[in-house]
Amino acid sequence: MATSQNILITGGTGLIGSRLVEMLGSKGHKIAVLSRQAGPMRHAKVYRWDPGKGEIDSRAIENTDVIIHLAGAGIGEKRWTKARRREILDSRVKPVYLIAEKMKIAGVIPSVFVSASGVSLYDQQDFERRNTEKSPAGNSFLAEVVKEWEHAADIFSDQGVRTVKMRTGLVLDAKGGAFPKIAAPVKMGLGAALGSGKQWMPWIHLEDICRLYVEAAENPAFRGPYNAVAPECVTNRVFMKELCRILRRPFWPVNVPAAMLKIIFGEMAAILLEGGNCVNERIRNEIFFHYRYPALAGALESLHD
Ligand SMILES: NC(=O)c1ccc[n+]([C@@H]2O[C@H](COP(=O)([O-])OP(=O)(O)OC[C@H]3O[C@@H](n4cnc5c(N)ncnc54)[C@H](OP(=O)(O)O)[C@@H]3O)[C@@H](O)[C@H]2O)c1
């Protein structure tokens, strides 16, 4: 086992954070979680912060070796009004500068900064390109968010801190995140492809993304951006069809019209209707990471109650 480290996690109460805290805690690491409101957590000490107001309990950052930055307002929770767009951006970017500033004042120099990031960095309307970590960024709202989010993380790499950016695909879990919402209509017998069905859905199982974060914290070989997605990237049509098969529900050959989703979700419908193909090139070629769920069928089976 790697030696015990002091790990600070922002957004440690969320889908990825809660499972990650369990994994890191059971490996003997000492964990501090920064939360705006959470009560006590098993395996972690919880400290208050209000990144919007620039407030942070300074005890949280004492002796920090590793920072894992997961905090961020939900992308698919509320309509993308102007205020919500600002919140989505600020809640990811401002905390990085806040922690960097407070650590500088306190004279704390971490050895690793691991930031969540997203595959929505890449062009989501080009369904032909296979995006590796070297592919160019797109111009969508989410691509702009990811650019600023990753740029903020560079404040640590510029100081010589090993910095990792987890460009994460859709995280699959039975209870949290987007999957239960995707599965709900399928369970009611209404499974069908969304829009053209040709958009890609890079995904990763919750267990694997959390195991990647553990690796990134412990393994000095991790550095820079990684497409944190399963090796098998599928289109929306294939995803929905496979989900229907596993849930033993019908897959209807008539796609859900894009116009209808745009009326219901506004611009946020882009999350459902767009998506680039994404390849885990650096994980495959540079890191000896063994996925527990490399293929969609196995991942979906594991979520099936
Ligand atoms: N899940 C996915 O499919 C997925 C895919 C790609 C990228 N990611 C990224 O990975 C990170 C973690 O994902 P997740 O699914 O675990 O997210 P999550 O379940 O939504 O949790 C994020 C945490 O961020 C904190 N938070 C929420 N709104 C905030 C705000 N306005 N200001 C500051 N903190 C706020 C909350 O903690 P407190 O309430 O305790 O403060 C929350 O528990 C996110 O940045 C997300 O964008 C996730």
Side-chain angles (χ1 to χ4, degrees), residues 178-191 240 243 247 249:
F179 180 76
K181 293 176 197 156
I182 297 172
V186 174
K187 286 180 179 169
M188 291 191 285
L190 299 171
M240 297 308 290
L243 182 56
L247 295 178
R249 297 290 196 281

Side-chain angles (χ1 to χ4, degrees), residues 13-16 35-37 70-73 87 92 117 149 168-169 171:
T13 55
L15 172 67
I16 296 173
S35 168
R36 295 161 306 157
Q37 60 206 356
L70 302 173
E87 194 180 358
R92 288 171 169 75
S117 177
W149 197 3
T168 310
V171 175

Side-chain angles (χ1 to χ4, degrees), residues 86-225:
R86 178 50 48 206
E87 194 180 358
I88 287 172
L89 177 67
D90 285 354
S91 60
R92 288 171 169 75
V93 173
K94 281 189 175 175
V96 183
Y97 294 116
L98 177 62
I99 292 172
E101 183 201 328
K102 297 292 179 189
M103 284 193 162
K104 195 173 172 197
I105 293 166
V108 178
I109 303 172
S111 50
V112 191
F113 181 81
V114 186
S115 181
S117 177
V119 293
S120 47
L121 173 69
Y122 307 115
D123 188 334
Q124 298 297 287
Q125 291 180 329
D126 181 349
F127 300 161
E128 302 300 321
R129 187 201 298 273
R130 294 175 82 238
N131 292 296
T132 71
E133 289 84 353
K134 290 196 181 118
S135 296
N139 298 310
S140 66
F141 160 62
L142 287 183
E144 297 300 330
V145 169
V146 175
K147 275 186 235 172
E148 290 206 37
W149 197 3
E150 292 201 352
H151 178 67
D154 290 337
I155 195 170
F156 284 97
S157 54
D158 291 348
Q159 292 167 28
V161 175
R162 179 168 72 81
T163 299
V164 180
K165 299 164 183 177
M166 288 288 187
R167 293 181 183 162
T168 310
L170 172 71
V171 175
L172 297 185
D173 176 57
K175 297 196 182 86
F179 180 76
K181 293 176 197 156
I182 297 172
V186 174
K187 286 180 179 169
M188 291 191 285
L190 299 171
L194 306 181
S196 72
K198 291 179 183 158
Q199 67 278 33
W200 293 88
M201 287 180 71
W203 61 273
I204 184 164
H205 194 286
L206 179 66
E207 286 299 296
D208 282 332
I209 186 66
C210 290
R211 290 171 61 238
L212 274 170
Y213 272 103
V214 173
E215 280 274 321
E218 294 181 347
N219 181 349
F222 266 80
R223 192 179 283 271

Side-chain angles (χ1 to χ4, degrees), residues 15 32 40 53 78 103 166 256-257 289 302:
L15 172 67
K53 290 188 184 153
K78 293 183 189 165
M103 284 193 162
M166 288 288 187
V256 179
F289 181 74
S302 81

